Amino acid sequence: MQLEAITWEGMAERLAGHLDGAPQDPGGGAPWLRVAVDGAPAAGTDVLADRLADALRRRGRSVLVVPTGGFLRPASLRFEYGRRDVDAYLGGWYDTAALWREVIGPLDPGGTGRVLPDLWDPVTDRATRSPYVALPAGGVVILHGPFLMGHWFPFDLSVHVRLSAGALARRTAEDERWTVPAFARYDAETDPGSAADVLVRADDPRHPAWTGVPH
């Protein structure tokens, strides 16, 4: 696999250009676009998502950035088998059904375009009660966070930010290093680098490299 060195700013601009060139209503489908930026928290998916959102807004697109951290399940479910259970973290921390219902589904053909930006506050362990956001035609939702590949989400563009095992361990906070085996399993079972349209390697965040935009 051939990778090209690039800056984060350049990457955001080229991804935005690719998305901006996509038809707003391809084949009579939905007038919105759904984008994934997948990766471990240590990979900084929020940084790329925010830069891509800025680049799209400069092109006149309405953009909503949605972190998967706003769709955690209640603590009683996340910690049912303990606070550091790898199986639960990999398969039970994030409310996939709610993401389908509140973020992905409303942007289907014939959908409402009304997206919920977050659902659950992990600090208070209560519903956020955030208002829905109505995206106009041509609007883009950028969903970022871990474990986004493998759920059959119909993304129009997906990016996986990969860290090597060593880089992941180094860049993960000490009290969260118990999560590292979950990402090893995710790589082995889902192969997100192949499942995504774009692969980014970011072991050194100052010098990312990527496969480029899809043709």
Side-chain angles (χ1 to χ4, degrees):
M1 181 182 296
Q2 189 170 4
L3 298 177
E4 170 193 359
I6 194 170
T7 65
W8 293 107
E9 293 82 1
M11 192 185 309
E13 287 295 330
R14 287 177 60 180
L15 289 171
H18 174 77
L19 289 165
D20 200 39
Q24 294 187 10
D25 193 9
W32 309 283
L33 294 175
R34 295 172 285 207
V35 178
V37 182
D38 174 67
T45 60
D46 57 330
V47 175
L48 179 56
D50 287 340
R51 287 181 174 171
L52 176 55
D54 289 342
L56 284 165
R57 290 181 184 121
R58 287 194 294 271
R59 287 167 166 78
R61 293 271 189 157
S62 294
V63 184
L64 178 65
V65 177
V66 178
T68 57
F71 285 83
L72 286 170
R73 302 173 79 198
S76 60
L77 298 176
R78 298 200 311 274
F79 304 143
E80 183 177 3
Y81 302 103
R83 290 182 174 270
R84 297 191 172 191
D85 186 272
V86 172
D87 290 338
Y89 179 64
L90 179 58
W93 272 43
Y94 295 92
D95 195 337
T96 304
L99 284 170
W100 271 106
R101 183 179 68 248
E102 306 291 1
V103 180
I104 302 297
L107 305 184
D108 281 340
T112 64
R114 295 176 69 250
V115 175
L116 193 64
D118 53 57
L119 179 67
W120 200 258
D121 184 337
V123 176
T124 63
D125 201 34
R126 295 177 181 271
T128 57
R129 303 188 183 280
S130 295
Y132 284 87
V133 175
L135 278 179
V140 183
V141 160
I142 304 174
L143 180 63
H144 74 85
F147 311 135
L148 289 175
M149 301 292 102
H151 296 297
W152 302 103
F153 289 140
F155 294 119
D156 297 283
L157 179 69
S158 55
V159 180
H160 174 65
V161 184
R162 170 168 287 176
L163 299 179
S164 67
L168 178 62
R170 288 193 305 271
R171 292 170 57 183
T172 299
E174 184 174 354
D175 62 349
E176 296 178 355
R177 284 184 188 155
W178 64 271
T179 65
V180 168
F183 292 101
R185 277 186 50 193
Y186 178 57
D187 285 345
E189 296 171 6
T190 306
D191 192 9
S194 297
D197 298 310
V198 179
L199 171 64
V200 179
R201 290 193 180 273
D203 286 2
D204 183 346
R206 299 167 299 178
H207 303 289
W210 74 332
T211 54
V213 295
H215 298 294

